[in-house]
Amino acid sequence: MSAFTIPVTRWLVTPADESAHHSGGHRVGLDELREAADDARRWDSKYGGGNWKAGSVTACLQERAAPLLQGSFSDRVGRELFSVTGELSRLAGWTAFDVGEHHTAQRHFIQALRLARAGGDVQLGCYVLTTMAMQSLLRGFAGEAVDMAQGAFARAKGQAVPRVLAFTKLIEARAHAREGNAKAASGALAASESLLEQARDNSGDEPTWIDFYHHARLSADAAEIFRDLKNPKAALAWNQQAAAMPSGAFTRSVGMRLAIVGTAHLQARDLDHGLALGHRSVDILTRVQSSRALDYVREFNVALTPWRRDPTVRDFIQRTRKELGMAA
């Protein structure tokens, strides 16, 4: 993940450029870019990053956003343009990451961080860096993810709204959990929950890209945190607090969550309940194009190891090979 070192350091030192004014050949319009970002978020959640609609954000960046950046705009409009283009670039990185195109994702994330800096958008920069931390985490670099999440929080503290900072602490907690550090994970999770409590009373404007992060999302991720810490009792307790999500709108998230909770049941030695959730996860994830989501099924399959000779387990493993393309 060394490709992140220089751009991350630059953002941490100077997160905002002084001016975004530019003189060019035509006037700038932002509504199309905002709508493209909103559409990409919805389609990514429903069908995964491999879906053509979610992936079309890259074409929007090249064909719509890039020409606008050469136009004429005031400092105020320029900052809005750089911010919305930065969010589009972050989304392009996220969809690439979701289907396993990690180098492409890195390039988009680095570009997004630079655009956030050009727009003087410290909140977006914090969110982009947190997304980069999540990529590092899910690729197995938990220590680097901790460093990036902590850096994002420290740099944006006092400038970002509580909900943005809360999400940063959530990803830090997930990274600590992957390292097996229960104390640090619990501390970061508690900090995230405290910041969310502040966000409920916050009367300031919040960016639309953070509106997904509420207590129900924290609870769902907490279940994953304690699954990673091999604490199924806590994982299942947190899952009880996580509100049900409609699979039609959040297909990938629902499928992953079923695999996570199913794994926690396996850790609690409850094979029947775990397998039932595993089958439901496969039912849903066959409709999604996301290599990241499949990693959760792989983790579920690993947790089935003590029961490998059970016929129902063999049937499930065979199903994941046939319907999800899992390797033996």
Side-chain angles (χ1 to χ4, degrees):
M1 304 303 290
S2 59
F4 286 160
T5 303
I6 293 176
V8 168
T9 301
R10 284 175 177 163
W11 184 81
L12 291 173
V13 172
T14 310
D17 286 354
E18 292 183 1
S19 175
H21 173 270
H22 186 265
S23 297
H26 54 272
R27 304 300 297 176
V28 163
L30 294 169
D31 289 345
E32 182 182 6
L33 300 186
R34 292 194 183 98
E35 290 175 5
D38 290 341
D39 286 345
R41 277 191 289 269
R42 285 193 295 270
W43 283 76
D44 171 66
S45 293
K46 189 170 184 178
Y47 296 114
N51 179 267
W52 72 270
K53 186 75 172 183
S56 67
V57 68
T58 303
C60 182
L61 274 170
Q62 296 171 345
E63 298 169 12
R64 301 291 188 226
L68 291 181
L69 292 173
Q70 303 305 314
S72 296
F73 42 81
S74 66
D75 179 68
R76 181 188 62 80
V77 172
R79 290 187 184 280
E80 290 184 47
L81 174 61
F82 284 127
S83 290
V84 71
T85 306
E87 169 58 2
L88 278 169
S89 190
R90 189 202 69 82
L91 284 164
W94 182 250
T95 56
F97 167 54
D98 195 52
V99 295
E101 297 176 0
H102 298 297
H103 294 299
T104 299
Q106 285 180 347
R107 289 197 298 272
H108 283 300
F109 289 149
I110 290 169
Q111 181 184 54
L113 195 63
R114 181 65 189 94
L115 286 163
R117 184 182 173 197
D121 194 336
V122 177
Q123 294 197 116
L124 178 61
C126 176
Y127 185 45
V128 171
L129 185 49
T130 304
T131 307
M132 294 161 74
M134 196 186 309
Q135 182 192 23
S136 297
L137 161 65
L138 296 178
R139 291 192 67 194
F141 302 99
E144 291 186 13
V146 169
D147 290 342
M148 282 193 279
Q150 289 178 339
F153 179 86
R155 196 65 182 85
K157 188 177 181 181
Q159 300 182 68
V161 296
R163 199 177 306 278
V164 172
L165 295 173
F167 186 67
T168 299
K169 280 296 176 183
L170 177 75
I171 302 309
E172 180 189 340
R174 286 180 54 173
H176 285 307
R178 288 292 175 110
E179 289 190 309
N181 190 334
K183 182 178 180 180
S186 296
L189 182 63
S192 183
E193 191 169 23
S194 176
L195 285 161
L196 271 184
E197 291 292 336
Q198 296 176 37
R200 291 175 184 173
D201 300 323
N202 180 45
S203 58
D205 292 333
E206 292 185 336
T208 56
W209 40 254
I210 200 63
D211 59 11
F212 68 92
Y213 190 46
H214 293 274
H215 194 272
R217 169 61 191 269
L218 177 143
S219 299
D221 279 38
E224 179 174 353
I225 286 167
F226 287 101
R227 178 211 63 171
D228 289 343
L229 292 170
K230 306 295 192 296
N231 185 340
K233 183 178 180 180
L236 295 174
W238 274 105
N239 183 61
Q240 291 297 314
Q241 299 183 45
M245 294 182 292
S247 60
F250 303 101
T251 312
R252 179 186 55 207
S253 294
V254 172
M256 292 191 303
R257 181 173 162 190
L258 286 166
I260 291 165
V261 178
T263 302
H265 280 289
L266 296 178
Q267 291 173 343
R269 311 301 294 178
D270 185 349
L271 175 62
D272 291 343
H273 202 164
L275 263 183
L277 294 176
H279 277 292
R280 287 173 57 194
S281 176
V282 174
D283 290 342
I284 289 173
L285 292 180
T286 53
R287 309 198 300 266
V288 172
Q289 293 174 282
S290 169
S291 61
R292 182 170 62 94
L294 298 187
D295 286 341
Y296 286 87
V297 181
R298 293 187 184 94
E299 290 167 345
F300 179 88
N301 285 356
V302 170
L304 285 170
T305 300
W307 299 278
R308 284 282 175 165
R309 295 183 179 180
D310 189 299
T312 60
V313 172
R314 289 202 299 267
D315 288 345
F316 179 82
I317 298 294
Q318 184 59 32
R319 185 187 179 198
T320 62
R321 291 173 184 167
K322 181 179 179 180
E323 297 184 28
L324 298 179
M326 297 260 176

